[in-house]
Structures are given as C-alpha cells and as structure tokens.
Amino acid sequence: MATIAPLNPTHPTVLLNWAGRSVTEDLSGFVISATYTESLRKSKAGRDKVSLVLSNKNRIFCNAWYPQQGDTLKPGIAWTDRVTGRQKIWRWGAFTIDDIRFRFGPDEVVIGATATGASSDKMEQKQSRAWENISLRKLCDLLGKEAGMSCTFTGEDVIVLRVEQRNESSRELLTRLAGSFGLEIAMKDKAMFVGTPDMATLTVDMANRAAVKSADIVAQSHRTTAQAVVVEYYDPEKKEVMTYSTGSVTDDKHTQRYYDADVGSMDEAKRFAQSKMTDKRRAESRLVLLNTPVAAGQKIVLSNAGKLPANWRVEEQTTSVSTSNWQASIKMSKGK
C-alpha cells in the first residue's frame, strides 16, 4: 500500500511528442496548461482524453505551426523532486488530435485529442452479427483484435449463450455488455482493459493540506438507492419469458424494472440485476489532490478522516498541469 507524500516538485514540464517528433523545448514557451482525463466506470467504455492550451502569440499557430487533425500526440509530465533531486516522468499514452479551436483575446489555440486513434475508428463501425456460447474474455479479445488493440481481461469470465450485435458499433456492444455484467471497460492508446485493474492502493492523509486541496465526501446517501430490481427475459432453452428479482419488491417507486435486458439465462439475469443494484447504491464523492499521480480504477484509503468511510475507488480523474504544479480532480465511489 502506497502512502501519499508531497512530491515537492520543481516547476513541472509538460512533455510533448507531436507527430513523431519531440517538441517539448520548441513549445515550452507556449504551453499554458495540459489536462488529462481518464475514467473506468461500469456500463461505459471510456476513452482517455487530453486537452492542450497553447499561447498563440504572434498568431504562429494560425500559419507556420498550424495544427493538423489526425496527428498523434504523446504528452506527459516531467519534474524534479527538490528534496531528493530525483527526476520523474509520468507519460499519459498516445492520442489522436480530433478537435482544434482558436481563441482570440486572449490569443490561444486549444488542442483536443482522444486515445486509440485509428483503433477508435474501427471500434465505431456499426454492424450486425451474433455469437453463441462464447465467453466474455474471448469476445473482448476478438473485438479488440479486430480494432488492432490488445485486451487485458481481469473481470469475472462467464459463458454467454448468445450475444447479438444489433446495428451498433463494437464500442456500443461492449458498453451494453458492461452494463449487463457489471464490468468496467477503458480504452487507452491501442489497449483495452476490462475489469478491475491491479494497482497499488493510495492512502490519503486528510489532514495533509500539502497533498489534499479539497474534498466533498458523501458519507451516506439513500436518494438514488433502488430497493429492488426486476428483470424479465426470454429463455431460448425453455422457450418462455422468465422473471428474476432481487431486493425487496414493495412498490414501483423503489423498484427498477428491465424488460429488454440482454440476458438469456437465470445466471445472466442475476448478474445483470446485481450490477444494477450496485450502480444505484453508488454515490460519487470528490477529492482534489496536489502533485499526485492518480489512475482510474485505483483504490484509495482515507486516513485521519474520523468515522467517514475509509475505502474508495477512483471512477474518473482529471489531471491539470500548469507551470507551478498540477492537481488531480477525482470522482470516486465507495469501495469494499
């Protein structure tokens, strides 16, 4: 378990590799800020994104350095710990520029880029097809290979009687399966991650204001809690409509009903219902850390927090870098 300590960075440097060429020094005087967002949530196939804000003094990006959509951007951060003198680097991966905006007054250009690039295009192609008696791991591997992506599967693997892709993209299919089986999916560069990643736990000392800038912790919340979930589905073996329910079915106000769930057996209906109960019980809290690398899916333990829940999980994090420091804005849910 890793405990957060202030990194004491000297002025962090935004590292930039643009279209296969290192431009860190060339653009150092133009970088205003860099932002990196990643998420790992159930029912979503999230893709990492970066945003780069550059000073457009002398209108150089309108002419000689005009940015090109489709270029590959590989950003990151480098810093030196002023206490230990050690240099450290945090690279964010490869991204494809898909959004370019110009501002005037002040003169700036905002570069937006998304992970996976050409792989993303293949993931977005709509098609219709079906698989029978296929495991989730095998299906994720197959969809990943079609898009030129590796697949790391750490979730619970099950055999699904029939999976249909209904005039939808592979990413839409994966998102639907994630919702049905309670899996997290993230796409980074040319890699796809399915399930909960294995990474070091961060212990955050809530009394340490050098590391913790702010926090908004939801200690208890029942506003969105479903007391029961009811799933109706067609069983192809029994050739009849079946019903599975979990929780206390008392009234429609506190019961979530699903009539078109993508399941075909009692086991699949049970997993689907349990994932929906879990989703409804999650209330997001927010935490802002200074000068701290954080990853989506990472476990966080709060210390010096009194009777507040101690165990949390990062659902989404956005790291923003300026010339003096960086901060990570974290959305997190209660962990086990």
Side-chain angles (χ1 to χ4, degrees):
M1 182 177 293
T3 301
I4 289 179
L7 293 181
N8 302 305
T10 56
H11 299 302
T13 300
V14 175
L15 301 176
L16 286 174
N17 183 292
W18 197 318
R21 177 171 171 260
S22 176
V23 295
T24 299
E25 293 186 8
D26 294 339
L27 296 184
S28 61
F30 296 87
V31 176
I32 296 175
S33 66
T35 302
Y36 168 48
T37 299
E38 61 169 348
S39 64
L40 189 62
R41 298 173 180 271
K42 292 183 178 180
S43 304
K44 289 186 178 180
R47 289 184 290 173
D48 293 1
K49 296 180 180 293
V50 295
S51 177
L52 185 65
V53 180
L54 303 172
S55 171
N56 195 17
K57 53 189 176 184
N58 300 325
R59 309 287 175 87
I60 191 169
F61 290 102
C62 292
N63 297 292
W65 289 0
Y66 192 86
Q68 297 294 321
Q69 186 170 340
D71 279 354
T72 299
L73 195 63
K74 296 181 179 180
I77 312 176
W79 72 94
T80 300
D81 190 299
R82 63 168 57 94
V83 175
T84 65
R86 294 180 179 177
Q87 186 175 30
K88 299 183 179 181
I89 293 177
W90 178 19
R91 299 189 186 278
W92 297 340
F95 302 79
T96 300
I97 295 176
D98 54 12
D99 187 64
I100 303 170
R101 302 183 185 186
F102 287 87
R103 297 171 179 167
F104 296 90
D107 291 351
E108 298 173 344
V109 59
V110 182
I111 308 295
T114 305
T116 71
S119 300
S120 175
D121 294 338
K122 295 177 182 178
M123 273 285 176
E124 299 302 330
Q125 294 176 0
K126 293 183 180 294
Q127 52 186 318
S128 297
R129 51 185 170 169
W131 299 267
E132 294 186 352
N133 295 316
I134 188 170
S135 71
L136 287 177
R137 181 190 297 273
K138 184 176 180 179
L139 180 58
C140 290
D141 281 339
L142 176 63
L143 296 176
K145 287 179 180 178
E146 288 180 348
M149 303 173 68
S150 64
C151 178
T152 300
F153 190 99
T154 58
E156 181 183 359
D157 194 17
V158 297
I159 302 295
V160 186
L161 296 179
R162 182 176 175 83
V163 177
E164 294 184 359
Q165 189 170 359
R166 311 159 185 164
N167 190 28
E168 59 189 342
S169 68
S170 294
R171 189 167 69 87
E172 290 170 335
L173 171 61
L174 287 168
T175 298
R176 184 158 55 83
L177 291 174
S180 297
F181 294 94
L183 294 171
E184 297 98 346
I185 297 180
M187 297 182 185
K188 301 172 180 288
D189 197 0
K190 295 182 179 180
M192 178 169 61
F193 298 87
V194 183
T196 303
D198 182 16
M199 61 182 72
T201 299
L202 290 180
T203 298
V204 179
D205 182 355
M206 297 301 291
N208 183 1
R209 288 296 175 264
V212 180
K213 181 179 180 180
S214 64
D216 184 357
I217 306 297
V218 180
Q220 293 183 344
S221 177
H222 300 283
R223 293 182 180 179
T224 60
T225 299
Q227 293 180 355
V229 172
V230 177
V231 182
E232 288 191 8
Y233 65 97
Y234 179 76
D235 190 318
E237 291 187 351
K238 296 182 180 180
K239 297 183 179 180
E240 61 179 304
V241 176
M242 307 291 289
T243 300
Y244 175 83
S245 63
T246 184
S248 177
V249 182
T250 56
D251 55 67
D252 289 338
K253 182 178 180 181
H254 298 95
T255 301
Q256 299 291 324
R257 297 182 181 274
Y258 297 88
Y259 299 100
D260 58 350
D262 189 24
V263 299
S265 67
M266 186 63 72
D267 286 341
E268 292 176 16
K270 181 178 179 180
R271 290 189 182 90
F272 179 88
Q274 290 176 340
S275 72
K276 294 303 178 183
M277 285 285 286
T278 301
D279 289 345
K280 292 296 177 182
R281 288 170 180 159
R282 289 193 177 192
E284 279 189 345
S285 294
R286 297 174 184 268
L287 179 66
V288 179
L289 299 178
L290 296 173
N291 302 326
T292 304
V294 181
Q298 193 163 22
K299 294 180 180 179
I300 291 181
V301 175
L302 304 183
S303 66
N304 284 327
K307 295 183 179 180
L308 293 178
N311 298 311
W312 298 83
R313 179 185 178 280
V314 178
E315 300 279 336
E316 179 179 299
Q317 74 86 14
T318 297
T319 294
S320 301
V321 186
S322 64
T323 55
S324 58
N325 59 24
W326 80 82
Q327 67 178 35
S329 299
I330 301 166
K331 295 179 182 179
M332 59 186 189
S333 60
K334 291 181 183 177
K336 296 180 180 180

